[in-house]
Each structure stands twice: as C-alpha cells, then as structure tokens.
Amino acid sequence: MSGHRSNGAVQFECGSWENHSYKDKEKHREHKKPRDHKKRKERKEREKSAKHKDSSGKKHRDKDKIKHRHGSKDKHKHREKKRDDKEKPEGLDKEKPKGLLLVKEVKYEPDSDTHHLTVPKHKHTLKMEGNDDNSSDSKLKKIKTERDEKISRKRKQDDCKEVVKPKKAKDQNGEDSDGKKKATKEPEDTYKWWKEKRYTDGTKWTTLEHKGPVFDPEYEPLPNHVKFCYNGERMKLSPGAEEVATFYAKLMHHDYVTKDIFRKNFFNDWQKDMTEEEKAKIKDLAKCDFREIRDYFKAQTEARRALSREEKQKTKDENERLLQEYGFCIMDKQKERIANFRTEPPGLFRGRGDHPKMGMLKLRIKPEDCTINCSKDSKWPKPPPGKEWKEVRHDNKVTWLVSWADNIKGSMKYIMLNSSSRVKGEKDWEKFETARKLKKCVDRIRAQYRDDWKSNEMKVRQRAVALYFIDKLALRAGNEKEEGETADTVGCCSLRVEHITLHQEKDGEPYVVEFDFLGKDCIRYYNAIPVEKRVFKNLRRFMENKQPQDDLFDRVTTDILNKHLQELMEGLTAKVFRTYNASITLQQQLKELTKSRDNVDTKVLQYNRANRAVAILCNHQRAAPKTFEASMQTLQAKIDTKREQLSVAKREAKRAKAEYKEKTTEKFRRTAESKKKAVLRIEEQLMKLDLQATDREENKQIALSTSKLNYLDPRISVAWCKSFDVPIEKIYNKSQRDKFACFIDMADEEFEF
DNA sequence: AAGTTGACTTAGGACATAAAAT
DNA sequence: ATTTTATGTCCTAAGTCAACTT
C-alpha cells in the first residue's frame, strides 16, 4: 500500500527536496538567527560607509572583484552605470506586435435605478477564447487612456472579428456557443462574464453598489466574577485593559506566548491601554495570570457547542442573514459575492516565523477608518448610527469596495470580491494566457539567458543566473524587504551568500548548488541541485569577497529583472515563470501518469500525484497534520482487517466453487456466484483503501491546494477530466468549480496549455 | 533613481461543517 | 446517537509588481 512514494514517479530534475515542517524551521533558524540580526545591522552600516567610498567614483567590479555588497543605493548606482554600456543584447526581439486583443469596452449605461439582482441579458460577444492558440496573442492589454480611446475603438472592431471566429469551435455540451442558449441544464441565471465584453482601458466597473462592511461587535466586558490576577492578587481591570487581556488569554494555548518578542510587544502595547494605577501596578508579564479569563472563554465555547439544535440553527440563520445582506454587491448589474465582507477583528498580531511585530495589538476597525468605494449614483452604504466613514469615493479603476489602513504594518487592507466574480476571473484568465504566451517563447528566453551567463557585464550575468533559478527552480522574485519590519525571508533576487553552498561535487554529481533559506511565510526551501558548470563558476564569482550576509546578486533587483523580462515578452514578469512551469508540469505529468484503462479512483490518485509534483516544484508545504501518525495507523489497521476479510472470502469462494462443481444444482451455483462477487467487492474496497493510504502518505507535508488554486491552468484539468471520463467534481469542489466556472465552460478535451 | 505606497495575488493555518466510523 | 476524521471555508499575513513621489 503506501509503498511507493511519489518521488520516483514525479520528481523531476530539481534534485532532492526535503520537507521540514514549520517546527523544523524554527529550529533551523534558532541558532543562526540572533547573530543574523546583528550581522545584518552591521552590514547596513558597512554599506553606508561603503557607499561613500564608492561614490568617489570607481566603477570597479564587473570584474569580479566585488568586494562587498553594496547597499541598495549603492547597488543602484552601479547598476546604473552598467546600464548604459549594455542593454543591447536583449533587445532583439523585444517587440512583438503588441497587441492583441480582444476585448472591447463595455458600455453599460448607468441605468439608473435599482440595480437589483437582475440577471443581465447578455449582450453577447466575443472575447478571447481561451483555447486555441490564437489566444496567446490575446493579451488583453489595457489600453491606456482616453486619448487612445479612439484608436482602440477602431482597433477593437477589427479585433472583434478576429476573436469571434474561434468561438464556434467550442462548447459541445449542448450549448450554443454564443451564450444565447441556456435552455437546459444551466440554471438560467448563471452569469457568464466570459461571454461579455471586457474593459480595455483599465476601468474595472461602471456601477458598484454595496452595503459596506460588517464590523466586529463592540467589546463586552467580562462578568464581574471573572478576574485577572496579578502576582497572586485578583483584580478587575478597566475595560480597555481588560479587552486587551482577553486577546492574550485567548492565545494562551499557542506557543506564540512563549516567545519573548511576542510577550514584549504585547506587554508594551497593553500598557498603553491601562489606567495609571494599572500601569503602576502591572509591571511584569510573568506575574500576570490570565487563566480565569481563558477558562471563561473556554467554557463559553463549550457552552456554545452544547447548544440545542434549534439554537444553533438560530445563529446559523443569523449568519445567513448577514451574508445575504452584506455578502453581495452589485457590480455592473451583476450580483456578485464579496470575499470578506467583515472587517478584521481586533486582537494580537500573529506574524509568521520570527516576526519582529508579533504580539502587537491590532486595533479595532471603526467606520471612521474605512474608505468606501462605490458608484456615485448608487445607494451608498450607511455608516452605523452616529458614525461617519472616513471617506466615500468613486474610483472605478480599482476593484475594492472598502479599505482601511492596518495599524501594524501601515499597509492597506481591502474588502474585495469573491473569486467567482468577474473581476477576479478575468484576471485569472489573463494570468494563464500570459503564461501560455511564455510557453511560445520560452526557448528563446532560455537561450538568451544562457548566453548571458557569458556576458562580460556583471549585472547581466547575475541577472541571467537569477533568471535561471527562477525558471528552473520556480523561485519567487524576491523583493527587497524593510529590515526589522518583517521576518527575515528571501526570494531569488534577495538571496544572500549564506543561503547557498557550492559543491564541486556532491553525491556523485558535479557542480551542485545547495540552497537553504526561508521563503515566503518562513517556509524553508532546501534543495541541492546540479547546475551547469558555467552557472557554477558564475556563482563562485558572485560570492567572492563577500560576507555571508551580503547579497548574492548584488546588481540585480526585482525591478531590474522585471524590466528586462518585459522587454523579452510583453506582460512577462518573474512570477509568470512559476505559473508557466507549474502548468506545463501538470500537463506533462498527467500525460505521463494517466492510463485510460485505470478506474476513476486510480486516475484521481494519479492526478493528485501530478498535482503533487507541482506542489513540490513550488515548495508548497504544510505542517503535517497533528493527528497524522495516528490516523495513518488506524487506516493501516483497517487495511489489515480488510485483507483478512479478503482471504476469508477467497477461501469461501473457492470452497463454494468446488462444491458447485460437485453438485451442480442451482442453489450451489448461486452461492458460488455470490461468494465470488463478495471477493470482488472486497478487493475493490481494499484497493480503495490502499490508494487512500498512498495518497495520504505522499501528501503528508505537501499542500496541493495552493497550486491548484493559483498556478495550474484549470483548462488542463478540465480537459483531462473530459478525456479520461473523470467527473470534474472529483477534482474540484464546489467553490473551486465556481472559481473556475469560465474555464470549465470553455475548455474541451483538446485543450493544450 | 531610489524610495514609497497602493492594489492585488498567493499562502498556510485555524476553524467549522460534513461525512464516516463506532 | 455520538465521536472521530476528513474536507471545505475563513482568515489574514506575506508576497509581487507597477505607479507615484521625492
């Protein structure tokens, strides 16, 4: 059963990959971290002074003598220089005819009145048809401004035609392609945005109406008998301090509370909400005892769980009511689901990994913090009684409905639409089309960066090696992050010398690069992979005379890289490589692993394996479920029992058969037959269990959902389902089907990524 | 050019619910 | 019917990338 690991089947050249759960990671960093901090700081200083020096004008480097990493500013300087000298190489084909197009603009007339959830009468139309190759050129680019409007209008016309033709090819499930149909199965009102026109000028909507956010309820003070306890003394806290204390109490089961930074940040912020007396008294978190509070909440949860069926139903109904009232908006006459219609509740900030801000107080969001975005002529959402919005604006170049500033990072938070919405779907579609476009020119781009490994310009060489990693290993771009504001994680461009180790030879392979760093969400990336000699030598050079904390690619930033990519292909950025490589890998793996004579369950297992190959490539990990071992064991036990059952059944079947042979009466014939059937049935069950075990084991620390939701062109899966007779429900659950409705509707089994 | 910020995608874990086992 | 386990949803942090500011 759980015998085979997927690795054999599925792993491609990326070399070994080990997963480490979150915990491991922590450990992993533990020792180096503290020092790191210091170092990085020093580094900063160093950079600063270096900068001065440098500015005195040398253009050194380029020649490998780079000695230190230059600070960002510095970096840029150098970069700049380089810029003029070169630039040429890539230029070659930069310009493919840009455009493309499809899409036209929509003219929804503001149509006054109530937008009520009426389903539009589609005006059909065209649009980029995803499947055929022509699509690739379809870049739905947004034509800039009204200045261009006329042009685009003209253009549009032509485009229309072009685009239109591909259309007929499709849908064969009884619907006629242009959307007019819907006779049968489709619930008349599913809105197919993909059959509508699109905006091409950056406009996101013409009309937008919604009810605003749902706020977290006001704080309700604890009952009087529940008290906080300081240094053995029970005391009632002032409401402000008490509320913050409850946030802590609710997190006590978590290991966040054992971390110093968390405790320090929490205590610091907590004090701000204390009265003078409290502040004077409560000086040490170690002397604080929140257990009573914690127990109170525990009891509450418990009580809630024990509620009667009717009462539970009541809260359920209430939630449903809120959803109906606030969970939808009307955008361009369509009723669309909102993803997050509630503001985030107050609490203690939980960053991932070693986040310097963990434990800080996240403030309650109030109407005064919220900016509302809706159309001018719609019914604006009303702030709660006595309150005001911070602002109401009418910006139809953005898709959000409400925004506020987060007090921890100072960044913006938004309320946006659900992934089944038109605005999200269009972007998704565009994303995959861009990736398919890359497919068409990836050879050229690869040839180019390989060529650039030889460039005599350091910047070009670094850029080429970085791009190679992004392509081959599916690394993220790696933007520069502000030090001290976030956990120390990196992506490709921000890799530091300490994150890789070069091995002239490792495990029999020449020129091996070993990566070990923390990426997004502090997920560890570990991989040892053989590279070409030229890459290896370049890396050695990039590392020369640098400290471990220095940037590996000191002449490259995501900006530089993306600008370069943009020249190679319109719309190309670093992340397109992940999308492309993920999708193409799925397609290949499916091709390789699926056999049409297998049964559906087996096919699904193979699908999951293909999916897993992608997840491994993209390093999508998860903590192994806490109950993993236990559940694996019970499953194993089940399998064992089933096995026994099987042998018993077989024995019986054999006997019955023999008996029947002896006396060929109808009765014996029947028993023999039914015994035989029992065997088959049990065999099937056993096989199913085995599959389950295998799948689960292989999935222990791998998260499939991220790639499935974000990186894999759904049309590949849809086509696979169709050609192998696997119901789509086996692959996508309801919300995934909603999210991918357009792809499910459009792709046929011929689809090729 | 460098730094900043806004908007949007990608991400894993927590939590709720459904389904299966007992 | 109750408990356990699997699955799906929610939540919001953490990225990417380009436009804007300085």
Side-chain angles (χ1 to χ4, degrees), chain A residues 471-488:
Chain A
D471 182 18
K472 179 169 178 109
L473 305 176
L475 300 190
R476 297 186 183 81
N479 283 314
E480 189 109 34
K481 314 170 63 181
E482 213 177 323
E483 206 156 331
E485 296 294 293
T486 64
D488 177 24

Side-chain angles (χ1 to χ4, degrees), chain A residues 223-240:
Chain A
N224 278 330
H225 66 274
V226 181
K227 295 207 166 85
F228 164 72
C229 192
Y230 187 73
N231 206 10
E233 176 195 347
R234 293 180 77 230
M235 58 189 281
K236 188 72 186 168
L237 295 170
S238 63

Side-chain angles (χ1 to χ4, degrees), chain A residues 87-146:
Chain A
E87 237 22 297
K88 246 39 232 222
E90 46 263 26
L92 349 169
D93 54 332
K94 40 173 74 298
E95 270 348 301
K96 32 246 334 21
K98 38 206 20 213
L100 6 55
L101 314 252
L102 18 132
V103 186
K104 6 294 338 335
E105 82 200 90
V106 174
K107 51 291 259 42
Y108 292 101
E109 44 275 277
D111 186 344
S112 48
D113 333 30
T114 77
H115 321 58
H116 247 208
L117 348 170
T118 45
V119 179
K121 17 329 256 50
H122 305 138
K123 26 296 245 124
H124 330 97
T125 9
L126 27 141
K127 269 343 298 14
M128 103 187 297
E129 210 47 24
N131 17 347
D132 0 59
D133 330 289
N134 62 309
S135 54
S136 67
D137 0 79
S138 40
K139 195 354 191 230
L140 2 157
K141 231 347 191 247
K142 29 247 10 241
I143 316 218
K144 255 26 216 224
T145 74
E146 29 243 324

Side-chain angles (χ1 to χ4, degrees), chain A residues 244 248 251 256 261-270 347-351 355-362 408:
Chain A
V244 180
Y248 188 92
L251 279 183
Y256 272 117
I261 330 163
F262 185 94
R263 298 170 65 86
K264 187 182 120 272
N265 287 333
F266 160 71
F267 196 69
N268 192 34
D269 278 1
W270 188 27
L348 303 183
F349 177 74
R350 300 155 81 149
H355 196 117
K357 300 196 170 188
M358 65 168 81
M360 287 173 59
L361 177 62
K362 225 174 91 152
I408 302 287

Side-chain angles (χ1 to χ4, degrees), chain A residues 252 333 367 388 427 432 613 615 661 728-729:
Chain A
M252 285 172 73
K333 315 238 200 68
E388 297 289 332
K427 267 213 134 187
F432 290 118
K661 232 173 196 160
I728 196 83
E729 295 77 22

